[in-house]
Amino acid sequence: IFERTNGNPLFVSELLQNLIDKGHLSMSADSWMINVDLETAVREIPEDLQLFIDEQVNRLEPLHCRILEVASLVGPQFSARLITDIVDLDYDEIEEICVQLAERDFMLAYSGERILGDGDLVQRFRFIHNLHRETLIQRIPPAQRIRLLRALGEKIELLYPDDATDRKS
């Protein structure tokens, strides 16, 4: 549960309440009983928590929301340069928005820098909580998600050629 929630008190309590409400976790005499595979049960994002995160995202400008949604598909960490062509903004604009969100501790935090193959230094960001990232992913319609993942894969191959693995059968 800690791994899933990063110890965020709100997320822990919502996740535990969801497990209790669904009968996955119950009190028996003086101890708690786990009635299902806990790892599988904690994968579900409680509806109230998903609505709470959606409400936070909906308060953002549409462009900020779009950046977060596309970035969520990259993984827990990303750089503004990676999503530049996909969001149709220039690198500096995307990075500035990510910096603003990170400085407000709004879903993002700084995650260091990386030097790319072309010598450029890029600032990296990370999602503060994986539950934010997962909720953002769920907001993207499946067909659009597939198109975005394809575009991201092509951009990753372009920016990080040294990280590509040669897979021959």
Side-chain angles (χ1 to χ4, degrees), residues 1-148:
I1 291 173
F2 178 81
E3 182 180 301
R4 183 85 171 112
T5 63
N6 296 71
N8 179 300
L10 172 65
F11 294 174
V12 169
S13 65
E14 286 293 325
L15 189 58
L16 285 172
Q17 189 60 54
N18 188 59
L19 293 171
I20 292 166
D21 291 347
K22 295 202 173 209
H24 300 323
L25 188 63
S26 59
M27 184 68 140
S28 175
D30 61 348
S31 64
W32 287 98
M33 302 293 294
I34 300 170
N35 304 317
V36 296
D37 175 46
L38 190 57
E39 191 170 325
T40 303
V42 298
R43 287 282 140 225
E44 181 181 327
I45 300 173
E47 187 177 336
D48 287 348
L49 187 53
Q50 192 161 7
L51 291 171
F52 172 76
I53 295 170
D54 275 336
E55 188 176 308
Q56 287 183 312
V57 175
N58 288 337
R59 286 190 213 134
L60 292 171
E61 294 178 33
L63 186 56
H64 295 196
C65 178
R66 174 77 172 153
I67 289 168
L68 288 173
E69 287 174 349
V70 172
S72 71
L73 293 171
V74 174
Q77 297 184 56
F78 68 96
S79 72
R81 183 156 172 208
L82 181 58
I83 62 174
T84 297
D85 297 331
I86 297 153
V87 178
D88 293 327
L89 279 178
D90 72 31
Y91 171 75
D92 291 330
E93 290 174 302
I94 294 173
E95 187 168 65
E96 179 58 33
I97 289 168
C98 291
V99 165
Q100 290 171 11
L101 293 171
E103 286 176 349
R104 291 180 15 215
D105 288 326
F106 188 83
M107 294 193 190
L108 296 181
Y110 293 107
S111 183
E113 295 86 23
R114 180 169 183 181
I115 298 175
L116 301 178
D118 62 7
D120 280 354
L121 178 71
V122 294
Q123 175 69 51
R124 295 178 54 80
F125 300 92
R126 67 175 173 79
F127 284 93
I128 295 172
H129 297 287
N130 203 40
L131 293 173
H132 287 145
R133 184 176 155 261
E134 290 176 25
T135 299
L136 287 160
I137 289 170
Q138 294 305 312
R139 292 170 57 97
I140 306 169
Q144 183 182 7
R145 193 179 316 148
I146 290 168
R147 286 191 302 275
L148 289 169

